[in-house]
Amino acid sequence: MQKFFIHTFGCQMNVYDGQRIAAMLHARGFVETNDFRDADIIILNTCSVREKATDKVFSALGRIRLEKKPDALLGIVGCVAREVGGTAFKRVPELNFVLGPQSYHKLPEILENPDVRLLNIDLGGLEKFDEMPQMDASPAVAYIPIQEGCNHVCTYCIVPYTRGREISRPYMDVVRDTEHAARTGAVEICFLGQNVNGYRYENYKLADLIRAAAAIPNVRRIRFTSSYPTEMTDDLIEMFATEQKLLPFLNMPIQSGSPDVLHRMNRPYSLDSYMEIVNKLRAARGDIQISSDFIVGFPGETDDDFARTIDIARCVKYINSFTFKYSPRPHTAAAIMPNQVPENVKKQRLYKLDAELSEIQREFNLSCVGKTLECLCEGADKTGRHTVYRTPYMQQCIVNTVAGSAPQMAMIKITDANKASLRGEFAE
Ligand code: 5AD
Ligand code: SF4
């Protein structure tokens, strides 16, 4: 019996790609192992969004190459493969294959021809979606990619290089995948894309996909990630008023609260226009919560610029947000901008912003105490004695029950909260 090992780094899109690769290997008779020493094929499914993410891949490869079975095939797929291309073979001579995020469906070629190094980092568009087998069973939360790549050329971001220009999948293909997921176990659908609200196929937009998913009885919750602010059009905002299955939670990264920094990031929206969208969303759905990604220490960011990021975080009251120190990436304009910010300043700003966001999160979590929320079961916590649920605002809620007997969806009364999570009990 041939065995495969796969380790996925990075975003949900990568997690999805990893699942498709696993399904393909299963279909070829492989079984999965979580010990790479035992595997006949070892795959690192990689992320290159920050330098640290790329470094992690090469340090993992350094370890693996020494301890793997001598004849095991070793390769990288995903964004680092696309970032470094054939130079990966020079850095790690034991590598057998290097396949980009849109060419991993070529993986069988290395199985058929293991003696020849395989390099393919082409941007193959949608080919990979068509050539790979479907997963047999869906997890409760199904991540369904609807578009890939990005046409907004933010000056810090490597993604337009690694995943290419924006391309939307055909409407009927997404509907078919959504129906398949719902039939095989999904109760929550999360539409995915680097610029998900830019989805456009013929006359179809993201709102049409939400309506189609909502019409499937098994589907109880719908969300989408990640959204570009100026593509939050009125028809989509309206969905938060009319479609109750759409969760009252939206990731809409602002990145910075400074107009100057936003300009240098090539994110051409004003704080006023961003706030106008936030206000429209709140008018559509009073309880909607918004999450953001932030970059601190972008080239030229002053103390005053950073203070504006803190201001906007307080003003919007973001929850569940992600913060990053700016990391210069190859193939991007910001990497060669003047006035790069020293590491210690980036560190201090990150610390301050995290503290601020954590306080905002704590306040929101506390405001939920006493409420009853419909939550989705995620499984056992680390101790195995409690069950983790996910609220409609994507907070974790711990319930004192063993996971095996816990209902998949439940009304949960929130009894306690801190900055990281909630506690709750089943409502009568
Ligand atoms: N440095 C730091 N953070 C980055 N991101 C993207 N590129 C970089 C970079 N070069 C962050 C952005 C984006 C998230 C996925 O990663 O905040 O929204
Ligand atoms: Fe990382 Fe971006 Fe690639 Fe996802 S798309 S794996 S976040 S670089």
Side-chain angles (χ1 to χ4, degrees):
M1 188 82 87
Q2 299 263 86
K3 292 187 182 158
F4 72 95
F5 170 90
I6 183 163
H7 183 80
T8 294
F9 302 84
C11 65
Q12 279 306 330
M13 191 73 94
N14 253 23
V15 174
Y16 171 87
D17 289 337
Q19 289 169 346
R20 296 296 299 259
I21 291 169
M24 178 176 72
L25 290 167
H26 280 138
R28 289 174 169 259
F30 280 79
V31 290
E32 188 164 2
T33 167
N34 48 25
D35 183 359
F36 71 82
R37 293 171 201 85
D38 203 24
D40 303 289
I41 178 165
I42 300 166
I43 303 160
L44 298 186
N45 182 20
T46 63
C47 170
S48 64
V49 75
R50 281 166 292 279
E51 195 179 1
K52 233 189 203 156
T54 298
D55 291 347
K56 263 192 204 162
V57 172
F58 283 98
S59 61
L61 283 171
R63 245 188 354 265
I64 291 171
R65 62 192 254 274
L66 299 176
E67 295 180 43
K68 72 179 183 74
K69 288 207 286 200
D71 54 349
L73 292 169
L74 174 63
I76 58 174
V77 301
C79 290
V80 172
R82 168 91 185 142
E83 179 195 343
V84 302
T87 63
F89 293 120
K90 290 207 188 82
R91 289 173 73 170
V92 185
E94 292 83 354
L95 275 175
N96 302 92
F97 56 96
V98 172
L99 295 169
Q102 290 180 4
S103 41
Y104 61 73
H105 55 286
K106 305 280 182 199
L107 193 64
E109 289 178 18
I110 194 73
L111 302 174
E112 278 138 33
N113 220 343
D115 298 327
V116 182
R117 278 179 166 168
L118 176 63
L119 170 69
N120 189 324
I121 55 167
D122 297 347
L123 294 174
L126 299 174
E127 247 177 71
K128 69 175 185 188
F129 293 108
D130 301 328
E131 291 199 11
M132 306 277 286
Q134 277 286 352
M135 289 164 274
D136 293 339
S138 171
V141 180
Y143 290 94
I144 299 186
I146 66 171
Q147 68 79 233
E148 189 162 4
C150 190
N151 287 355
H152 296 286
V153 187
C154 301
T155 52
Y156 52 79
C157 190
I158 197 172
V159 168
Y161 178 79
T162 56
R163 298 225 177 219
R165 304 292 285 171
E166 214 166 297
I167 176 159
S168 291
R169 296 181 64 200
Y171 173 80
M172 278 320 295
D173 289 7
V174 177
V175 172
R176 183 201 59 209
D177 286 1
T178 309
E179 285 170 347
H180 177 81
R183 231 187 352 263
T184 57
V187 290
E188 180 175 306
I189 300 293
C190 180
F191 290 126
L192 279 186
Q194 267 83 34
N195 182 30
V196 72
N197 56 344
Y199 176 85
R200 264 186 185 282
Y201 183 79
E202 295 173 347
N203 288 327
Y204 295 108
K205 298 175 73 182
L206 177 55
D208 299 300
L209 287 174
I210 294 168
R211 270 189 284 273
I216 303 171
N218 293 359
V219 173
R220 306 279 295 275
R221 324 209 305 180
I222 303 167
R223 61 192 168 100
F224 53 89
T225 196
S226 184
S227 293
Y228 192 85
T230 53
E231 303 215 48
M232 221 47 228
T233 46
D234 288 346
D235 62 316
L236 188 53
I237 293 174
E238 186 60 23
M239 294 304 292
F240 286 94
T242 55
E243 187 43 71
Q244 290 309 305
K245 290 185 181 180
L246 189 58
L247 290 178
F249 178 78
L250 177 68
N251 174 255
M252 186 170 72
I254 191 162
Q255 308 294 358
S256 166
S258 155
D260 288 347
V261 172
L262 286 173
H263 178 74
R264 285 199 302 283
M265 285 178 164
N266 191 30
R267 293 184 63 96
Y269 46 82
S270 65
L271 296 189
D272 284 349
S273 60
Y274 185 93
M275 285 311 297
E276 196 181 313
I277 298 163
V278 171
N279 291 333
K280 278 189 194 169
L281 285 161
R282 293 203 169 127
R285 186 83 173 256
D287 64 335
I288 196 165
Q289 300 302 315
I290 295 167
S291 110
S292 181
D293 299 353
F294 295 93
I295 296 177
V296 300
F298 186 79
E301 186 189 65
T302 61
D303 285 343
D304 189 53
D305 290 323
F306 175 65
R308 285 161 176 253
T309 296
I310 297 274
D311 289 345
I312 197 82
R314 284 192 187 134
C315 173
V316 178
K317 294 193 191 308
Y318 290 107
I319 67 159
N320 299 1
S321 294
F322 299 95
T323 56
F324 308 103
K325 286 183 289 186
Y326 168 69
S327 164
R329 304 307 293 128
H331 317 287
T332 65
I336 48 170
M337 282 182 185
N339 304 320
Q340 298 282 328
V341 174
E343 183 61 23
N344 62 331
V345 176
K346 287 187 199 169
K347 229 185 199 166
Q348 281 164 9
R349 289 182 185 162
L350 186 73
Y351 182 80
K352 265 196 189 161
L353 181 58
D354 282 345
E356 194 64 43
L357 290 168
S358 164
E359 182 52 29
I360 297 168
Q361 181 89 45
R362 197 179 68 90
E363 277 167 27
F364 176 65
N365 287 356
L366 281 172
S367 77
C368 294
V369 174
K371 292 193 175 141
T372 297
L373 304 172
E374 190 176 36
C375 300
L376 173 66
C377 180
E378 270 191 353
D381 74 349
K382 277 191 215 116
T383 68
R385 292 197 304 269
H386 313 289
T387 302
V388 180
Y389 277 83
R390 195 59 74 169
T391 72
Y393 314 107
M394 292 294 118
Q395 301 140 293
Q396 274 199 345
C397 179
I398 317 286
V399 178
N400 209 351
T401 184
V402 278
S405 59
Q408 193 172 42
M409 295 281 296
M411 296 304 291
I412 291 178
K413 182 161 187 221
I414 310 304
T415 54
D416 202 0
N418 59 30
K419 65 178 185 193
S421 63
L422 308 174
R423 287 199 161 260
E425 57 195 29
F426 296 118
E428 299 297 304

